[in-house]
Amino acid sequence: MRCFAGSCRYVYNRALALQKERYERGEKKLGYSELCKLLTQWRNSPDTAWLADAPVHPLQQALRDLERAYSNFFAKRAGFPRFKKKGRHSSFRYPDPKQIKLEQHNSRIFLPKLGWVRYRNSREVLGTVKNVTVSLSGGKWFVSIQTEREVEQPVPQGGAVGIDMGVVRFATLSDGTFIAPLNSFKRHEERLRKAQQALSRKVKFSNNWRKALARLQRIHRRIADARRDFLHKASTAICKNHAIVCIEDLQVRNMTKSAAGTLDQPGRNVRTPSLWRERAKSGLNKSILDQGWYEFRRQLDYKLAWKGGRLIVVPPQNTSITCPCCGHVSADNRQTRDRFMCVKCGYENHADVVAAINILARGLDELKGGARPDGLWIELHRQSEAGTHRSR
Ligand SMILES: [Zn+2]
């Protein structure tokens, strides 16, 4: 499986290098089918004959992944495609369900060039298999099975809610409740630091180095697991009781742009909402918060869709300094981090709750103007209004 993942990485990187060379020479980018023809040549060439040992479909999928990386880049959804590094996200995907056999009662799966492989079931696989991804994480191999099935059109249940994301409070709801942040990273921080130090003292690629690396990866994995569990519980709880969830847009586009920078202004920061400011203050690991936020948003999105609900993303400007009562916008409204007091009308509340109320109002406005002609929002609006007044 390591070999297969390595072959996929090789194909991806070689195709990316080729595309880059062509670009520098001023030539057109090769399409997927042209890359596939090259792949056949590589598999037949004596220099890279080992490529023929890997199943061909996953290798083609690596080329598809590269295609997608390019189109994400062109659509400004992501940065320029990067070379894949050994030992990071090792995985390969079988796209053809005809070649896959799944025996759930025996807990085994048949995959091309691997044969029957036993697995430990985490949950029942429902529907027909569409594709299978095999991946390595924290020293363990995982199989993800994507399926397709018909489901009843769900009826959305519950009202609308706005959510403000933060560091001090992970999520504050417009009804005044909030979800405290997960502090497992803090607990693991010391162990992580020690494991990192231990690794740096070892001779690279020695046996002891490998052992230290495995220990470090285990800690990383535990942190990741704890975070995933936390995010799933939080997003499930919110989606269970609400049909419409409004949330601030953190603008992935601007972020990738700022991270990569331009030729004139390398690494310029275009960051807006309160989360980033707080993060700068708290000095927490950047990637850890980033991942949590996007993963949370992703989970909300699909879990709401499952239940017939909807996630609305609103522009983040001024949500924390606008008075939800009279609409007065001023930085003076927010005297401290926690306290909001309108300098015009005297309305008072927790600053995060105020932001959540504003986010909800913007989301509902967007819904009114947007294409959803079914009267659902009217009912929701009434419910959320009641909720907002209660919290006031
Ligand atoms: Zn006011």
Side-chain angles (χ1 to χ4, degrees):
M1 288 191 279
R2 257 179 222 284
C3 286
F4 291 179
S7 295
C8 287
R9 187 177 59 241
Y10 174 85
V11 167
Y12 183 96
N13 285 343
R14 188 163 170 184
L16 176 57
L18 184 75
Q19 302 281 38
K20 276 185 157 177
E21 276 169 32
R22 290 180 64 89
Y23 177 77
E24 273 152 29
R25 286 199 302 265
E27 292 168 359
K28 254 186 87 182
K29 195 168 80 65
L30 289 178
Y32 171 68
S33 55
E34 287 158 307
L35 286 175
C36 279
K37 274 180 211 150
L38 279 177
L39 173 62
T40 313
Q41 284 175 25
W42 296 343
R43 280 165 67 89
N44 292 330
S45 140
D47 295 340
T48 50
W50 44 270
L51 275 180
D53 295 337
V56 65
H57 284 151
L59 297 179
Q60 288 170 352
Q61 283 299 299
L63 295 176
R64 275 213 190 285
D65 290 345
L66 181 63
E67 278 289 299
R68 198 172 46 210
Y70 262 104
S71 50
N72 282 343
F73 167 67
F74 289 133
K76 298 204 165 100
R77 282 189 297 264
F80 190 79
R82 280 186 295 183
F83 290 105
K84 286 191 193 291
K85 212 174 150 192
K86 187 176 178 180
R88 273 207 184 165
H89 306 295
S90 291
S91 75
F92 53 97
R93 182 168 64 251
Y94 289 101
D96 187 4
K98 285 195 287 296
Q99 298 190 342
I100 300 161
K101 278 175 254 173
L102 177 67
E103 276 185 11
Q104 286 194 73
H105 54 284
N106 282 331
S107 286
R108 62 177 197 163
I109 187 165
F110 181 90
L111 297 168
K113 296 227 180 185
L114 277 179
W116 286 103
V117 187
R118 291 216 166 270
Y119 66 88
R120 203 177 296 172
N121 216 3
S122 63
R123 65 154 112 167
E124 201 189 344
V125 180
L126 303 167
T128 49
V129 176
K130 299 301 280 186
N131 63 61
V132 164
T133 304
V134 179
S135 61
L136 178 67
S137 173
K140 288 175 181 161
W141 286 94
F142 291 83
V143 60
S144 312
I145 302 162
Q146 190 176 46
T147 62
E148 188 179 72
R149 68 192 164 106
E150 295 277 331
V151 288
E152 293 266 314
Q153 185 67 41
V155 181
Q157 275 174 1
V161 73
I163 303 179
D164 179 58
M165 307 294 299
V167 174
V168 180
R169 290 172 160 195
F170 172 75
T172 307
L173 276 61
S174 53
D175 61 12
T177 56
F178 67 93
I179 300 168
L182 176 74
N183 285 320
S184 86
F185 180 67
K186 276 221 174 84
R187 253 191 304 146
H188 290 287
E189 216 166 11
E190 184 64 15
R191 286 180 60 214
L192 199 61
R193 200 176 55 80
K194 279 189 178 150
Q196 261 154 355
Q197 274 177 358
L199 181 71
S200 69
R201 281 194 294 265
K202 303 282 187 289
V203 179
K204 228 177 174 183
F205 305 117
S206 67
N207 274 335
N208 281 332
W209 180 82
R210 271 180 228 284
K211 273 185 238 165
L213 182 67
R215 203 169 301 135
L216 180 65
Q217 284 173 338
R218 260 202 309 280
I219 300 170
H220 270 301
R221 196 176 151 68
R222 194 145 305 160
I223 295 170
D225 285 348
R227 186 178 315 112
R228 190 161 40 237
D229 181 60
F230 167 79
L231 292 175
H232 271 297
K233 278 177 183 154
S235 59
T236 300
I238 289 169
C239 294
K240 223 192 304 189
N241 303 319
H242 301 98
I244 300 257
V245 176
C246 309
I247 202 161
E248 268 184 326
D249 191 1
L250 282 189
Q251 288 164 334
V252 192
R253 228 176 266 194
N254 285 351
M255 275 184 48
T256 45
K257 209 193 287 164
S258 67
T262 59
L263 282 176
D264 305 318
Q265 289 171 296
R268 190 170 57 95
N269 277 328
V270 198
R271 293 198 163 133
T272 26
S274 51
L275 177 58
W276 305 118
R277 289 197 297 276
E278 283 182 27
R279 191 191 60 200
K281 275 185 236 159
S282 66
L284 279 171
N285 186 313
K286 168 182 174 297
S287 64
I288 275 158
L289 281 170
D290 284 358
Q291 282 168 16
W293 205 88
Y294 290 111
E295 179 58 15
F296 185 67
R297 175 170 150 182
R298 192 184 71 83
Q299 288 175 5
L300 283 179
D301 201 6
Y302 77 75
K303 285 180 185 178
L304 283 165
W306 279 350
K307 291 180 180 293
R310 202 174 143 185
L311 179 74
I312 298 169
V313 180
V314 302
Q317 282 76 27
N318 297 337
T319 47
S320 60
I321 56 165
T322 305
C323 174
C325 200
C326 72
H328 183 61
V329 183
S330 167
D332 299 336
N333 286 345
R334 203 171 163 179
Q335 253 107 29
T336 63
R337 207 212 73 79
D338 289 346
R339 211 62 217 156
F340 179 98
M341 202 185 90
C342 179
V343 290
K344 206 169 160 200
C345 75
Y347 170 83
E348 258 188 283
N349 207 334
H350 191 286
D352 292 342
V353 179
V354 167
I357 291 171
N358 286 328
I359 289 164
L360 172 64
R362 274 183 204 187
L364 293 175
D365 275 351
E366 211 153 288
L367 209 53
K368 261 187 269 182
R372 200 180 170 92
D374 48 35
L376 170 69
W377 70 266
I378 302 172
E379 180 53 31
L380 292 169
H381 195 252
R382 208 177 298 136
Q383 284 180 14
S384 69
E385 284 279 275
T388 313
H389 283 303
R390 255 204 313 283
S391 73
R392 278 177 196 172

